[in-house]
Amino acid sequence: MKITSLMAGVVLAVGLTAGSAVAQDYPTKPVNYIIPFNAGGESDIAARLQQPVFERLTGQSMVIQYMAGAGGAQAWSQLNGMDGDGYTLMGTNLPHIILQPMAQEVGYKTDDIANVYFFQYTPDAIVVPADSQFKTLEDLVSYAKENPGLVTFSGSGTNSANHVAQTKFDGLTGVTTTYVPFSGTSPSIAAVLGNQVQAGFSYTTAAINQGDAMRVLAVASEERVPSLPDVPTFKELGYDMVGGAFRGVGVPKSTPEDVRKQVSDALDKVNQDPEFIKKMEDGGFVVINVPYAEVEAFMNERREQYKAVAEQMGIAQK
């Protein structure tokens, strides 16, 4: 009996050691990283910046793939049918994965998405053509008050971060503007530059890419964005508005807890890399660190915020 117990203890010890070795070695093979949008957008740009740092730190390749459609819903609805071994990752976006299922049937529920890490967000920004009559945010607000409904804002999709921002903006300033959704950031920006709309709710990343062709009136970040040092925040101008599109990484729900943490830890190392941080900030991204242990609280906070504006956006909450 004692021998059997001793042998069982040895086997258990060996098993724990082997399990620890596996955990420490993650990843041991290439990781597939699925982006639920087309190439060239903010999700793709951020993934492309993560990729070389991840490979340098882990010694394993990161293969970026695309599964675009339905504003990301096509990919998210298929995530849980994939292998939960830690080698299939998928980009996730807020407010998309909260507002999409709230607004209609999209093939998944918010709780179906097993987020393991949130690493950045792109602050919302109001942009106008360089030759616009609106030189400052107050110019736009004053005009909107005098002309209810006449100010048109382009934005990237319905029930998107841009749509949330426009709804918040109207509430905070006491104006009524008209939101015109486009299929993505690029056509939304093109509408501004082509004077199809008077202004746009976009992201700091898109604003930077347009250079002198655009004027940025305000950004929805806590502090000024380093790559747009002359642009005030909404808070500086008296409007308590901070937000944008938050991006993270999810895994299939079948992924074990310890593997979820391994993935989160690997992504956190990327997020702490000085070279990565600089490239992200130069591109207009704001780097945040929300590891797996903090994801649930982060999601709950965002869910409450989005619910608060859902009714104003015409979303019937389920």
Side-chain angles (χ1 to χ4, degrees), residues 134-244:
F134 306 128
K135 308 300 181 187
T136 67
L137 183 65
E138 285 309 313
D139 288 344
L140 189 152
V141 171
S142 296
Y143 181 87
K145 286 182 177 178
E146 295 169 5
N147 302 276
L150 290 187
V151 172
T152 50
F153 276 110
S154 66
S156 178
T158 303
N159 302 331
S160 65
N162 294 158
H163 195 180
V164 170
Q166 179 263 347
T167 303
K168 283 185 176 180
F169 176 76
D170 280 13
L172 288 170
T173 59
V175 303
T176 299
T177 63
T178 301
Y179 184 75
V180 184
F182 286 81
S183 61
T185 301
S186 294
S188 170
I189 289 293
V192 175
L193 295 175
N195 293 308
Q196 295 173 251
V197 292
Q198 290 173 293
F201 258 107
S202 191
Y203 304 118
T204 49
T205 45
I208 289 168
N209 289 337
Q210 296 304 319
D212 295 336
M214 275 188 166
R215 178 182 301 121
V216 187
L217 301 184
V219 296
S221 52
E222 289 283 358
E223 299 176 353
R224 292 196 180 196
V225 175
S227 44
L228 293 169
D230 298 326
V231 178
T233 65
F234 283 95
K235 278 194 166 185
E236 286 180 65
L237 300 174
Y239 304 107
D240 188 14
M241 184 165 154
V242 175

Side-chain angles (χ1 to χ4, degrees), residues 60-289:
Q60 295 294 334
S61 60
M62 172 179 274
V63 182
I64 297 175
Q65 303 169 335
Y66 304 95
M67 190 182 290
Q74 180 171 310
W76 294 320
S77 65
Q78 297 181 55
L79 176 59
N80 287 336
M82 300 176 184
D83 291 337
D85 59 0
Y87 291 91
T88 296
L89 315 181
M90 185 178 287
T92 62
N93 291 51
L94 297 174
H96 306 58
I97 61 173
I98 291 177
L99 291 183
Q100 283 182 352
M102 191 184 295
Q104 59 190 340
E105 177 57 50
V106 289
Y108 74 93
K109 301 295 184 185
T110 300
D111 291 339
D112 291 339
I113 309 296
N115 295 287
V116 296
Y117 197 81
F118 283 95
F119 66 101
Q120 54 94 350
Y121 85 97
T122 44
D124 288 303
I126 290 182
V127 296
V128 295
D131 59 357
S132 170
Q133 63 177 305
F134 306 128
K135 308 300 181 187
T136 67
L137 183 65
E138 285 309 313
D139 288 344
L140 189 152
V141 171
S142 296
Y143 181 87
K145 286 182 177 178
E146 295 169 5
N147 302 276
L150 290 187
V151 172
T152 50
F153 276 110
S154 66
S156 178
T158 303
N159 302 331
S160 65
N162 294 158
H163 195 180
V164 170
Q166 179 263 347
T167 303
K168 283 185 176 180
F169 176 76
D170 280 13
L172 288 170
T173 59
V175 303
T176 299
T177 63
T178 301
Y179 184 75
V180 184
F182 286 81
S183 61
T185 301
S186 294
S188 170
I189 289 293
V192 175
L193 295 175
N195 293 308
Q196 295 173 251
V197 292
Q198 290 173 293
F201 258 107
S202 191
Y203 304 118
T204 49
T205 45
I208 289 168
N209 289 337
Q210 296 304 319
D212 295 336
M214 275 188 166
R215 178 182 301 121
V216 187
L217 301 184
V219 296
S221 52
E222 289 283 358
E223 299 176 353
R224 292 196 180 196
V225 175
S227 44
L228 293 169
D230 298 326
V231 178
T233 65
F234 283 95
K235 278 194 166 185
E236 286 180 65
L237 300 174
Y239 304 107
D240 188 14
M241 184 165 154
V242 175
F246 291 81
R247 297 180 181 85
V249 175
V251 295
K253 254 193 155 177
S254 60
T255 307
E257 288 290 313
D258 61 331
V259 177
R260 295 184 189 191
K261 187 176 185 307
Q262 292 168 30
V263 174
S264 179
D265 289 346
L267 293 171
D268 189 59
K269 289 177 182 176
V270 173
N271 235 41
Q272 305 294 336
D273 184 81
E275 181 181 338
F276 173 75
I277 293 172
K278 183 173 190 312
K279 287 183 177 179
M280 290 286 282
E281 292 180 343
D282 287 348
F285 294 94
V286 174
V287 176
I288 60 173
N289 303 296

